[in-house]
Amino acid sequence: MKVSVIIITHNRLEDLKRTIPAFLSQTYENKEIILIDNASNDGTPDWIKEEYPQVKYMWLPDNFDIRAINIGIELSDGNIIWRTDDDSYPEDQDTFKKIVDIFNQNEDIHVIATEDVEVRQGYRVWEWYPINVDKSKVPEKGFPSNVFPGTGAAIRRTVYDKIGGFWEFGFEELDFCTRAIVAGFNVRYFPNIRTLHWASPGGRQSGPRWVKVSKQFVRYQWRYFPFMMALSRSMQIYFFQLTVAAMQRIPFSAFMEGAFGMIATMFGTYRDERAVVPKDKIKDITLGVTIGKNQRTYFADVIKKKLNKWFKKS
């Protein structure tokens, strides 16, 4: 099996100086690295061509956002697609060997989700998985999942070939996994396979980012859930996102854009994009976890981080 690493970047040269060598140091030899550059003007083109000519590189004249992943996949020829960010890479040098072994031994596993370790937060694990499990006893086939962190995931190429690629930034991993699950593929979570995420501060404009994420989350609900479920879930998301915006002190113009944008997205998605999931797949795409529980987990996590900061200062 060949592993194709797909990296999308935009003006993050310093991150790439850490990320590219980390992927090249993977002990599994049958691999390739593909870097799609969303119009960087920070010296990335000259640097990558001079330092790492073995990396497949494409510079785009415009910032095509996260959808550039699809361009990278089309340029690749691996059996396994490694989905990652330009500020992330596997913690262990034998990670690719591990995922290849899992796929070879389990034909019914199609997507592998990894653990996300936040380096700049003291190597704190991002608890994105919504179910309490014993991570010290990972089953041979991992834990069932409905999504993966964008920082590190292994995807059989057959999944991409059947369901297509990623939509634009904002819950693109959740949308991809939902389509995969409906198509009969299995997503599994392996917390013993860890990805280091440096969470680069570059390119993270809080206002536009919040607006985009808010609209995409609502779009997801109206695309896949029955009417009443979509309405209930999106209303909870609406007030949750407005609360998050207030906590993050999002600029007023962005706040209003998101508030009205979420409502417009509900109507637009209902009109143009409905692809309601069969009833017997609802639990698979939610893991039986409600929006309310996810929101409580988020606020608990925020409080925990603030307490940790407070104790460090005191």
Side-chain angles (χ1 to χ4, degrees):
M1 284 188 170
K2 184 175 183 178
V3 179
S4 294
V5 180
I6 312 297
I7 304 173
I8 310 304
T9 193
H10 174 68
N11 287 339
R12 286 186 176 177
L13 177 56
E14 294 307 311
D15 290 294
L16 292 174
K17 289 180 179 179
R18 180 172 47 233
T19 301
I20 298 295
F23 278 110
L24 289 173
S25 69
Q26 283 291 308
T27 57
Y28 188 77
E29 295 184 358
N30 193 10
K31 61 181 180 294
E32 64 176 351
I33 299 175
I34 297 172
L35 178 64
I36 307 298
D37 188 339
N38 275 321
S40 292
N41 56 14
D42 63 347
T44 293
D46 292 337
W47 174 80
I48 196 71
K49 292 174 183 176
E50 181 178 341
E51 297 293 330
Y52 297 104
Q54 69 270 46
V55 172
K56 291 183 182 180
Y57 176 75
M58 175 180 282
W59 187 86
L60 302 178
D62 297 302
N63 190 340
F64 200 51
D65 70 50
I66 207 69
R67 290 168 292 179
I69 293 174
N70 303 324
I71 297 174
I73 296 174
E74 289 297 322
L75 291 176
S76 71
D77 55 14
N79 315 90
I80 301 171
I81 306 301
W82 183 265
R83 161 75 166 94
T84 189
D85 287 341
D86 54 9
D87 58 0
S88 308
Y89 54 84
E91 181 178 56
D92 298 327
Q93 293 184 337
D94 64 345
T95 293
F96 286 178
K97 182 182 182 304
K98 291 177 182 176
I99 65 169
V100 168
D101 288 343
I102 291 172
F103 281 140
N104 279 332
Q105 295 165 15
N106 301 276
E107 294 184 358
D108 58 341
I109 294 179
H110 307 98
V111 179
I112 294 174
T114 70
E115 191 79 293
D116 182 299
V117 181
E118 298 296 315
V119 177
R120 287 194 165 98
Q121 295 181 25
Y123 287 81
R124 174 179 173 272
V125 171
W126 173 32
E127 299 293 352
W128 63 269
Y129 191 67
I131 301 174
N132 293 326
V133 294
D134 186 351
K135 295 182 181 181
S136 66
K137 298 178 181 178
V138 181
E140 179 184 347
K141 293 181 179 292
F143 299 104
S145 187
N146 62 335
V147 71
F148 57 78
T151 51
I155 306 165
R156 287 188 190 265
R157 190 178 197 90
T158 51
V159 180
Y160 173 84
D161 289 342
K162 183 171 182 179
I163 71 171
F166 294 86
W167 71 10
E168 60 266 37
F169 172 78
F171 293 95
E172 68 274 9
E173 302 93 353
L174 182 60
D175 170 76
F176 183 88
C177 287
T178 294
R179 287 184 283 121
I181 291 169
V182 172
F185 297 111
N186 291 313
V187 183
R188 310 295 291 190
Y189 166 48
F190 287 82
N192 54 336
I193 301 178
R194 292 159 53 100
T195 298
L196 299 182
H197 181 207
W198 286 79
S200 173
R204 295 180 183 273
Q205 298 173 294
S206 59
R209 188 181 181 91
W210 173 81
V211 171
K212 187 66 174 178
V213 166
S214 299
K215 291 164 65 176
Q216 289 289 83
F217 202 12
V218 168
R219 178 186 177 191
Y220 174 82
Q221 312 307 318
W222 285 95
R223 178 182 258 197
Y224 294 117
F225 288 96
F227 182 89
M228 292 307 298
M229 287 188 69
L231 181 62
S232 173
R233 291 171 65 91
S234 59
M235 287 297 98
Q236 293 178 72
I237 290 167
Y238 185 82
F239 292 108
F240 171 78
Q241 288 300 115
L242 295 183
T243 302
V244 169
M247 292 170 59
Q248 295 180 353
R249 299 180 181 178
I250 297 297
F252 181 73
S253 59
F255 182 91
M256 296 304 294
E257 181 184 355
F260 287 105
M262 283 188 281
I263 295 173
T265 298
M266 295 180 197
F267 288 103
T269 306
Y270 182 79
R271 182 190 62 214
D272 300 329
E273 297 187 65
R274 293 284 278 172
V276 179
V277 171
K279 289 184 178 180
D280 62 339
K281 292 286 187 177
I282 294 292
K283 187 173 182 179
D284 293 330
I285 69 168
T286 63
L287 296 183
V289 178
T290 64
I291 287 288
K293 181 178 179 181
N294 286 331
Q295 293 174 350
R296 289 192 296 273
T297 300
Y298 172 85
F299 286 123
D301 188 59
V302 169
I303 293 171
K304 184 177 179 181
K305 283 193 286 188
K306 288 185 178 297
L307 288 174
N308 286 338
K309 288 182 180 180
W310 185 81
F311 281 120
K312 286 181 180 179
K313 289 180 181 180
S314 60

